[in-house]
Amino acid sequence: MWQKLLGGQDTPTLRAEHWGGRPPAQVLRDILAREFDVRDDLTFAQSYGAGVWHSANGTPYPDYSTAPEQCERWQVLSPVRGHPHGTTHLNRRLKQTYRRTALDLALKSRFRRTPKPFGPEQIVVGDKVVNTRNQSLTAYNTATRTTASQYVANGEVGVVTGQLKSKGSKAAPRYTQIEFPSQPGLRITADRAGTDTDPALELAWALTVHKSQGSEFGTVILMLPAGLQSISRELLYTAMTRQTDKIIVCHEGPLETLRERANPTASETARRLTDLTRAPKPVPVQDAQGQRRLFDGHLVHITHFGLTVRSKNELIIADLLKRLADGRFTYERPLRGSDGRRRFPDFTVTTDDPGRPIYWEHLGMLDDASYAAKWNEKKAWYAAQGILPGPKGGPHGTLLTTDDRGGVKEGDWERKFKELFGTSVTIRPGKITRRGRT
């Protein structure tokens, strides 16, 4: 995925969007316009599932009764609540831009057809919201027309659909009712007991990555500012696995920096030396910023000489290369092709011909059809760059591939490497290097 992003390759399921000096809220508005044709209040409501009804004179209005079951069509995620790129600000700006008419109607003292605004964020009918605590609330069953207590979990996302003033009623509606896609057919009354600092209901067009855990959304729009130290490997993994259709990574800083955050050395878990079931194994590792930190060796893959890799099989290969080609290899060094795209070979091994390195790729999931298809695409890219399989290789390098189908065969891997490497170099010990920077 990171190779596609860094290479500027957009796909139907993945795209990167640089802020380009725009405020985060403007970046978000531009994406909603392009992806969901959001132009005004009505098209904004339609983007998360609202239908349309027409008044007697033909004026279109949003029909929110269809929104709950489609409200997870898209979701903005941010690492934090505060700051211009945080959920609080983004939700506020979306409400100011696209929900002003709905709020004005709810603030009317006379002829009001919807409940008064709820909570400090002035939540009204049509707003997308998240329940912020585990609680039992009063629920109206639309099929049986009965009321009962219903459990609502912290983090459930829904849409405010009522109450709506019925025909013939003189009194304005009093209760804010939400429908959640996880509980179809139930209109759940919000609890007004929350305080301004701890409301029971919040706006939810934008959620924190933490709050989104366990949920899935069609399209995820991920807002990532530059220089935020709290962006960890775990946070990126959580955010990028919430989507079912597409993820749009909106980045203020360089994508290369974010890729560094996806490395094992950016893992918060691995830095916690607090395992309750076994003693931690502290290992000093130099991270992408050049700082030496302690990691739990049980939770990341670290060679005996301090190189952090992504898998146990890569650890085996790294140790093999340390023994056979010390000072000649780097891990995940960027390789820029003639098409401007960048790839990250697992290992790059220099030979006596500087223009013809050995590029070693270990293929750990060839039994997976999607993985195999991506590898065939990458192999074709290598061929286009003049990098071909051994023993002869190509004008710009030799491609060495290994896999673990049938088990880990370290002896076979070593033999294949020696066949390519043994006659192409004179061993000159040197310093092992990590991934280079561009």
Side-chain angles (χ1 to χ4, degrees), residues 418-425:
K418 283 181 175 178
E419 289 175 355
L420 296 179
F421 185 71
T423 59
S424 63
V425 299

Side-chain angles (χ1 to χ4, degrees), residues 158-200:
V159 175
V160 178
T161 57
Q163 289 176 308
L164 299 179
K165 187 176 182 180
S166 59
K167 290 182 179 180
S169 175
K170 294 183 179 180
R174 295 175 54 195
Y175 301 109
T176 298
Q177 294 180 329
I178 312 103
E179 293 185 52
F180 297 97
S182 59
Q183 305 193 50
L186 296 181
R187 294 178 187 164
I188 296 172
T189 301
D191 183 5
R192 291 187 175 270
T195 64
D196 284 358
T197 56
D198 184 27

Side-chain angles (χ1 to χ4, degrees), residues 203-412:
L203 294 174
W205 297 294
L207 294 174
T208 62
V209 175
H210 175 75
K211 182 66 79 174
S212 75
Q213 292 183 82
S215 300
E216 286 186 337
F217 311 95
T219 296
V220 165
I221 303 166
L222 178 59
M223 305 296 295
L224 294 174
L228 190 64
Q229 294 303 309
S230 61
I231 297 178
S232 66
R233 188 187 193 201
E234 290 83 1
L235 183 142
L236 288 173
Y237 175 82
T238 299
M240 292 184 172
T241 53
R242 296 309 93 200
Q243 54 84 24
T244 58
D245 300 325
K246 184 175 187 177
I247 182 164
I248 302 171
V249 180
C250 306
H251 58 104
E252 181 183 24
L255 278 172
E256 290 88 343
T257 303
L258 292 175
R259 190 179 190 279
E260 294 287 353
R261 297 281 184 175
N263 283 340
T265 52
S267 168
E268 288 183 343
T269 302
R271 288 201 292 266
R272 297 173 186 158
L273 305 178
T274 56
D275 198 314
L276 298 178
T277 59
R278 61 182 173 182
K281 181 183 176 183
V283 178
V285 175
Q286 182 172 303
D287 66 14
Q289 287 72 44
Q291 297 178 323
R292 291 184 67 80
R293 300 175 181 269
L294 287 179
F295 290 80
D296 189 343
H298 296 303
L299 301 177
V300 294
H301 303 290
I302 305 173
T303 66
H304 71 278
F305 52 92
L307 177 66
T308 306
V309 294
R310 297 180 183 274
S311 70
K312 290 182 179 179
N313 287 331
E314 287 185 345
L315 186 145
I316 292 171
I317 293 170
D319 285 339
L320 183 153
L321 288 173
K322 178 68 174 175
R323 177 164 49 88
L324 299 177
D326 189 14
R328 291 276 193 165
F329 72 97
T330 54
Y331 178 63
E332 291 193 342
R333 186 173 73 187
L335 173 63
R336 187 179 292 277
S338 58
D339 57 357
R341 295 165 61 187
R342 280 190 298 174
R343 301 286 191 175
F344 294 83
D346 291 339
F347 297 93
T348 302
V349 187
T350 57
T351 67
D352 281 349
D353 183 348
R356 299 184 71 244
I358 296 172
Y359 297 100
W360 190 335
E361 294 276 14
H362 184 77
L363 314 174
M365 296 173 60
L366 280 178
D367 291 332
D368 181 273
S370 175
Y371 180 94
K374 290 177 181 177
W375 164 243
N376 286 332
E377 178 189 334
K378 188 174 183 180
K379 186 167 70 170
W381 181 87
Y382 274 123
Q385 312 313 312
I387 301 168
L388 301 173
K392 293 184 178 180
H396 296 134
T398 302
L399 180 62
L400 168 61
T401 61
T402 52
D403 61 65
D404 47 18
R405 290 181 294 184
V408 176
K409 298 179 180 179
E410 184 177 353
D412 290 348

